[in-house]
Amino acid sequence: MMSDEQRRVLDPERDTAALKALTHPLRIRLLGLLRQDGPATASELAERTGESSASTSYHLRVLAKYEFIAEAEHRDGRERRWRAVHTLTSWSNEAMESSAAGRAYVGMARRRQIEYLEVSLVRHEADLAAGRLGQEWVEPSGIGDLMPRLTPESLAELWDVVDGKLAELTARDADDPRAARVVLVTAGLPLAPLADAPADPTVSASADAPADPEGTS
């Protein structure tokens, strides 16, 4: 399991201002880049994001104010370098569900994760094509969309198993020079039976639709 030092757990009542600070899309992106690629300056992050140094510097200071990032060791005395304080930001879905602001934040954060997956896919494909990743990564890489039938208890157990195995493998590979940063996006989103869902006038039946909605691809 990930240690408390690696995980920032947000509380919707205690961390209202911190949650609000994270709603800005550039701040989420900057935090993600620091976690993914390590410490950087505002100028370096401006180059990666296409923003101005003044803009990235401002948003980095906001992230620092709410302790998502902190100053890193400087290469020289000319410009601050920043590092992510935690590996992961998390929260209790049940706690977030208790307020409209919490629900809105969770929805926004999940959509940002999907956007990040798209960006990561483009980068992954480019890295393979350019030879920056070896061919040994071709076979294990991929995206799945399994749709099993599970109880709430089984879904919670699945998350625990995935978290535990990931911690085990991360520790095992920590000193292996072949290890690379892997973007692992997981989702467990139960769906109500179609008969219970409101009719959507934008969706019509299609002969190309799969006969088994619980199938996999």
Side-chain angles (χ1 to χ4, degrees):
M1 293 292 184
M2 192 171 291
S3 68
D4 291 340
E5 290 75 21
Q6 295 174 297
R7 183 191 298 266
R8 171 74 180 272
V9 181
L10 296 175
D11 181 280
E13 295 184 4
R14 185 182 65 246
D15 298 316
T16 304
L19 278 169
K20 185 176 180 180
L22 269 190
T23 58
H24 195 287
L26 180 56
R27 289 173 201 157
I28 294 177
R29 188 176 179 192
L30 292 173
L31 180 57
L33 287 171
L34 291 176
R35 287 176 174 173
Q36 176 178 279
D37 299 321
T41 66
S43 296
E44 291 167 341
L45 291 167
E47 184 176 349
R48 295 180 204 173
T49 59
E51 300 285 335
S52 69
S53 295
S55 177
T56 55
S57 180
Y58 168 75
H59 289 296
L60 287 166
R61 290 196 301 273
V62 174
L63 289 170
K65 176 180 179 180
Y66 295 105
E67 301 180 337
F68 290 104
I69 66 174
E71 285 195 55
E73 182 179 349
H74 293 211
R75 291 177 181 169
D76 53 51
R78 291 181 298 175
E79 189 175 5
R80 287 180 177 178
R81 294 183 64 77
W82 298 98
R83 63 176 178 84
V85 175
H86 307 92
T87 303
L88 175 71
T89 302
S90 65
W91 53 81
S92 162
N93 285 332
E94 187 173 6
M96 289 292 201
E97 184 68 18
S98 64
S99 71
R103 291 192 298 273
Y105 174 77
V106 170
M108 180 277 302
R110 289 173 174 174
R111 283 162 178 78
R112 291 287 179 269
Q113 288 173 312
I114 294 172
E115 292 170 5
Y116 179 62
L117 177 60
E118 171 66 23
V119 170
S120 299
L121 175 59
V122 171
R123 177 171 169 178
H124 165 75
E125 292 173 337
D127 286 344
L128 280 175
R132 291 186 291 270
L133 286 174
Q135 288 299 301
E136 68 273 17
W137 287 105
V138 171
E139 188 62 31
S141 302
I143 299 173
D145 59 352
L146 302 176
M147 289 186 279
R149 290 179 61 84
L150 298 173
T151 63
E153 294 78 14
S154 293
L155 182 55
E157 181 179 341
L158 179 60
W159 283 117
D160 288 340
V161 170
V162 171
D163 286 347
K165 190 63 178 180
L166 181 59
E168 174 192 332
L169 296 176
T170 300
R172 188 184 74 183
D173 294 348
D175 298 321
D176 192 324
R178 299 174 304 135
R181 180 74 65 188
V182 175
V183 175
L184 182 65
V185 179
T186 53
L189 305 172
L191 303 176
L194 191 59
D196 297 339
D200 185 347
T202 67
V203 177
S204 60
S206 169
D208 295 330
D212 180 6
E214 294 170 8
T216 61
S217 62

